[in-house]
Amino acid sequence: MGIANFSKFKQFKDLIKALPAGYTDEMIKSEQFLLEREEKKKLEIYYAPFEYVNERAKVVIVGITPGLHQMKKSYSTVINAKGQLHGDEEILHEVKKNSSFEGTMRKNLVKMLDELGLHTYLNISSALDLFDEASHLFILPQF
């Protein structure tokens, strides 16, 4: 397990931790977190700390998230990690568990994976466990 080679977490960690607990969308959708902007397509890409990699995963789920909802959840996880989690790898692992496919997207994904019976192959009660005690079984590369 580890941190992806392309990680920018060291660059952004202190900026995220400096945010107040009640930060606004405007605070995180700001120039300091902006990675890329395409004026013609009206597209902006902001940093989100999704760089944890589980190298021993048995399941890979590829998504095109994080969106703003997952970004906010990931920032809150980093902010709330003060004093509780030690080391970048542990913080990023917690971000993945808390923020990956978070919200309605996760609920729908879990329902679909349970209907497919993935949990029975992995010997867990539900695909929901992949986001908690069974997070060691899979990796969520998100682009």
Side-chain angles (χ1 to χ4, degrees), residues 12-47:
F12 289 99
K13 177 173 59 173
D14 291 336
L15 292 171
I16 296 170
K17 287 184 173 185
L19 290 168
Y23 63 83
T24 64
D25 291 359
E26 291 76 26
M27 290 176 177
I28 63 172
K29 289 175 61 180
S30 65
E31 292 294 321
Q32 69 181 351
F33 297 112
L34 183 67
L35 295 175
E36 197 168 324
R37 175 180 284 135
E38 176 57 55
E39 297 289 340
K40 291 180 184 176
K41 296 180 181 179
K42 297 181 183 176
L43 178 67
E44 296 175 332
I45 300 172
Y46 294 91
Y47 174 75

Side-chain angles (χ1 to χ4, degrees), residues 47-62:
Y47 174 75
F50 279 77
E51 298 129 333
Y52 177 80
V53 178
N54 179 354
E55 297 165 346
R56 299 180 306 213
K58 293 184 177 189
V59 177
V60 177
I61 301 173
V62 179

Side-chain angles (χ1 to χ4, degrees), residues 90-108:
E90 189 175 1
I91 292 169
L92 291 171
H93 184 216
E94 199 64 24
V95 165
K96 278 285 192 166
K97 289 191 317 187
N98 289 342
S99 308
S100 295
F101 299 99
E102 211 279 321
T104 306
M105 191 182 313
R106 182 181 292 184
K107 180 182 171 191
N108 293 335

